[in-house]
Amino acid sequence: MTEYQHRIGERNKSLPNNNFRLWSKDFILICLANFFYFGSFYFLIPTLPQYVDLLGGTPAEVGLVMGLFTMASVIIRPYFGKMADRQGRKIFMLVGSSFFILFPLVYNMIQAITPLYLVRVLNGLAHASFLVGAMAYIADLAPPHRRGEVIGIFSTANVIAMALFPAWGIAIIKEPEDFTHLFIVSAFTAAAGFLAVALLRDIRPRNDKNIKNMGFFAIGKKRGVLVPSLTLFAGATAYGALVTFLPLFAPQRGLPDFGIFFTVYAGSTILSRALAGALSDRIGRYRVILPFTLILIIAVGLLPSLSNMWLLIIIAALYGLGFGAFMPALNALVVDHTPPQERGSALAFFTSFMDIGITAGAMVLGLVGSRAGYSAMFYTAAAVVTAGLIYFAVFMKPDRRESTAADQKGEA
């Protein structure tokens, strides 16, 4: 046993979740809730633009309909995070998943673009509610000495949903009238997620009057929150460019059947998240984040050289391996530095940078691609991730003691 493992084990013997088991009822339920909730979410990601087009929407209106969802989710997330720290996690997951049951049915009744804008904003608020509650819940549920492992396994539910439900949604809508079927299936999928949440026991952070609760932005400025968040932003920017423009870039390189990329990427991500999380518990987050971010940079840097299917598969495997470890390890690092009564706010701040980065990758790097070509765009994306890696290495010095210290502060 390493010195790090011994120190973490000794300091966590007295913590209430030290006897956590992966096969416990609450962990299975929260993973199922995450899977079905994001299943409902991913049903609509590739199909809703087609629905807007069916309603007579222009490409600009398609972009606005999709963008309003993300914008609303990012803006409201800080407030929901603060509220989740005070009122518990479960209520926010229940609210988010319940509205995800409702909104697909509302989409089916809409016959014009303008009301769709309002519904997408409300849908984004519901997404923020579920995401804040679920991320804080799993952070509270995981024992500090297994935090990376638990968060990594939990997050694979999202990836599995991403691998299954978009293709299922596309398969459903063979005819315009099949959108009704799609929306009904999406609503029932969200209902399964709601049921899983309803069966969870609630976890409420202890609100000790002697502990001063920091404001949202004060929490966000803490080194252990800000540095991982900006590092996530760098990686998410590359992700946004890749998922947005690979469908256009690959056919230019003679690879019209590029769907295998997402299959390999999903499989590699699942493997990475299942293994790298536990590795970060053993050797520390810092020693996992640095090499896996480097793998991510290599994958993005290889994209301009794309010329055949085998290279596409290699890039997909490397990208999934890098990004699969990258985000959960950063997530666990934020939790390590945050006491329970501040986790909702800290994770709301952190996860917002994923959405902001994806948007920046699609919009800002998209401008680079339109002016200088896709190769220049992907090289720029690799440079952004490299800058994020350097920033993390310089400003996030490894401090293995803060994980237990933060938890003990919350339990005091």
Side-chain angles (χ1 to χ4, degrees):
M1 178 181 290
T2 66
E3 179 186 355
Y4 174 56
Q5 288 175 285
H6 177 73
R7 182 164 61 244
I8 291 297
E10 288 299 313
R11 289 179 176 178
N12 287 289
K13 285 180 179 178
S14 62
L15 294 179
N17 55 357
N18 191 50
N19 294 322
F20 171 85
R21 293 176 297 108
L22 291 177
W23 294 107
S24 64
K25 177 179 73 74
D26 287 325
F27 184 66
I28 292 173
L29 286 173
I30 189 63
C31 287
L32 287 174
N34 198 39
F35 173 75
F36 286 116
Y37 171 84
F38 274 100
S40 178
F41 173 82
Y42 285 124
F43 262 132
L44 303 182
I45 290 297
T47 56
L48 201 57
Q50 298 179 57
Y51 189 62
V52 176
D53 181 69
L54 184 66
L55 295 177
T58 65
E61 288 171 327
V62 170
L64 186 57
V65 165
M66 303 305 289
L68 284 172
F69 176 93
T70 301
M71 186 185 303
S73 178
V74 169
I75 291 173
I76 199 63
R77 210 171 294 176
Y79 304 99
F80 283 170
K82 192 68 176 177
M83 292 168 64
D85 285 333
R86 296 173 180 172
Q87 300 176 21
R89 322 305 194 189
K90 182 175 177 177
I91 183 62
F92 285 87
M93 289 187 284
L94 286 173
V95 169
S97 54
S98 64
F99 277 102
F100 258 66
I101 300 171
L102 173 65
F103 285 126
L105 304 178
V106 175
Y107 290 144
N108 192 49
M109 295 185 290
I110 290 177
Q111 300 297 322
I113 300 297
T114 302
L116 192 57
Y117 294 148
L118 175 60
V119 178
R120 286 298 284 173
V121 169
L122 296 175
N123 206 166
L125 302 184
H127 182 61
S129 179
F130 180 88
L131 196 61
V132 162
M135 296 299 289
Y137 189 95
I138 195 64
D140 292 340
L141 188 65
H145 62 291
R146 298 182 65 185
R147 185 168 286 149
E149 175 191 13
V150 172
I151 291 176
I153 293 174
F154 165 77
S155 62
T156 61
N158 184 338
V159 181
I160 295 171
M162 181 178 66
L164 298 177
F165 288 92
W168 187 3
I170 292 172
I172 289 175
I173 54 169
K174 296 178 180 178
E175 300 292 340
E177 59 269 18
D178 289 336
F179 275 100
T180 297
H181 181 199
L182 172 73
F183 292 139
I184 292 173
V185 173
S186 178
F188 271 106
T189 304
F194 176 88
L195 178 61
V197 173
L199 296 174
L200 282 171
R201 68 181 174 92
D202 200 2
I203 297 179
R204 291 178 178 268
R206 181 179 299 177
N207 289 317
D208 193 325
K209 294 181 180 179
N210 296 321
I211 299 176
K212 183 179 179 181
N213 290 324
M214 300 176 66
F216 173 79
F217 289 104
I219 293 172
K221 289 191 294 185
K222 293 171 64 176
R223 176 178 62 93
V225 178
L226 181 61
V227 175
S229 297
L230 292 177
T231 306
L232 176 65
F233 169 80
T237 300
Y239 179 84
L242 188 149
V243 298
T244 302
F245 296 106
L246 182 65
L248 301 176
F249 178 66
Q252 286 186 1
R253 295 301 179 94
L255 300 170
D257 299 324
F258 58 87
I260 192 173
F261 176 93
F262 296 100
T263 302
V264 174
Y265 162 72
S268 181
T269 300
I270 291 169
L271 178 64
S272 178
R273 291 190 174 181
L275 299 179
L279 182 63
S280 75
D281 292 328
R282 291 196 296 271
I283 67 175
R285 319 297 181 205
Y286 192 89
R287 293 180 180 178
V288 167
I289 291 168
L290 291 183
F292 279 94
T293 306
L294 182 59
I295 292 173
L296 182 61
I297 293 168
I298 293 171
V300 178
L302 285 174
L303 277 166
S305 303
L306 183 63
S307 59
N308 58 71
M309 189 64 71
W310 283 111
L311 183 56
L312 181 69
I313 292 172
I314 291 171
I315 292 172
L318 290 174
Y319 194 86
L321 188 65
F323 202 79
F326 173 78
M327 184 176 179
L330 288 171
N331 190 337
L333 185 63
V334 171
V335 179
D336 288 345
H337 286 76
T338 310
Q341 68 274 8
E342 295 175 358
R343 281 179 187 156
S345 295
L347 290 170
F349 187 90
F350 172 75
T351 57
S352 294
F353 280 83
M354 180 68 178
D355 293 325
I356 296 170
I358 291 173
T359 303
M363 297 179 64
V364 178
L365 293 186
L367 290 176
V368 175
S370 64
R371 295 182 179 182
Y374 289 132
S375 292
M377 180 190 70
F378 287 127
Y379 281 133
T380 303
V384 171
V385 185
T386 302
L389 174 62
I390 295 171
Y391 172 73
F392 180 85
V394 171
F395 292 100
M396 197 71 217
K397 297 298 183 182
D399 187 343
R400 295 163 175 169
R401 294 173 295 176
E402 293 191 52
S403 170
T404 305
D407 284 280
Q408 290 179 338
K409 178 182 176 182
E411 297 294 333

